[in-house]
Amino acid sequence: MDMGYWAVLADSEREQWDYVPCQTVGPLSFGDDRHDVVAIMAGHGFAAEEREIERWSPQRAQWRVEFRRAESDKHRSAVKCYFVEDVGLTCVLVDGLRGPQVICEGVRLIGRVPSELDAEMEACAVERGLGISYCLTGACAGPTSSSIGAGSALAIRS
């Protein structure tokens, strides 16, 4: 049964990406050039759609690049990357339904029931003696240290 927009990929159908806060998400490094990211993602089977977006600064252009895997992602992109001129990659948004599985310190972040992910992240924070904070939408933001989610530029869209 094709559920279209709400179809969820099984973990076995997703690439497995590691996340190191403020450094890397899968094959991508924060600060990477937009053209390099497009080439890297093409090597992983993703097609890119690039758009310049409204500038927050008149001196620096910004871009959003959406990545899809052919027909299977026609309803929504699997990964979106945001770039600032002369800065490079600043944010990676991984779709919870269609994107790669992202793992940080053993915690699977993608394609999870939010309450289960929240409980696992809280347990991880407690085990390490770290705090945990929440964003305005109430979603779990991660421990308040250099560990999971701290100062990160990874966003998960469900």
Side-chain angles (χ1 to χ4, degrees):
M1 172 164 95
D2 179 19
M3 295 177 59
Y5 187 83
W6 295 106
V8 179
L9 287 179
D11 267 1
S12 61
E13 298 178 67
R14 299 174 189 263
E15 284 194 32
Q16 305 295 303
W17 287 7
D18 286 323
Y19 171 51
V20 179
C22 301
Q23 293 180 32
T24 61
V25 178
L28 310 176
S29 295
F30 295 109
D32 279 352
D33 178 76
R34 174 172 48 103
H35 303 290
D36 293 341
V37 169
V38 169
I40 290 166
M41 293 294 280
H44 286 261
F46 289 93
E49 181 182 322
E50 301 181 53
R51 288 193 187 118
E52 188 169 354
I53 57 178
E54 185 177 333
R55 296 177 182 214
W56 59 271
S57 166
Q59 292 85 25
R60 293 186 179 200
Q62 296 182 99
W63 293 272
R64 176 180 63 233
V65 182
E66 297 188 29
F67 295 97
R68 291 179 167 77
R69 287 190 187 273
E71 190 65 23
S72 64
D73 292 334
K74 68 181 178 185
H75 297 292
R76 57 195 289 164
S77 55
V79 177
K80 290 181 186 177
C81 292
Y82 293 86
F83 301 85
V84 176
E85 183 178 20
D86 297 329
V87 175
L89 179 64
T90 58
C91 181
V92 177
L93 188 143
V94 177
D95 187 78
L97 301 177
R98 310 296 303 163
Q101 179 54 261
V102 179
I103 302 165
C104 182
E105 296 188 18
V107 177
R108 291 174 31 254
L109 303 175
I110 304 298
R112 305 273 311 269
V113 173
S115 59
E116 292 173 4
L117 174 58
D118 182 61
E120 188 171 352
M121 288 184 72
E122 184 175 1
C124 182
V126 168
E127 177 182 303
R128 291 173 172 83
L130 305 171
I132 194 162
S133 61
Y134 292 84
C135 70
L136 295 175
T137 61
C140 184
T144 53
S145 80
S146 62
S147 186
I148 299 175
S152 66
L154 170 72
I156 301 168
R157 183 182 99 175
S158 57

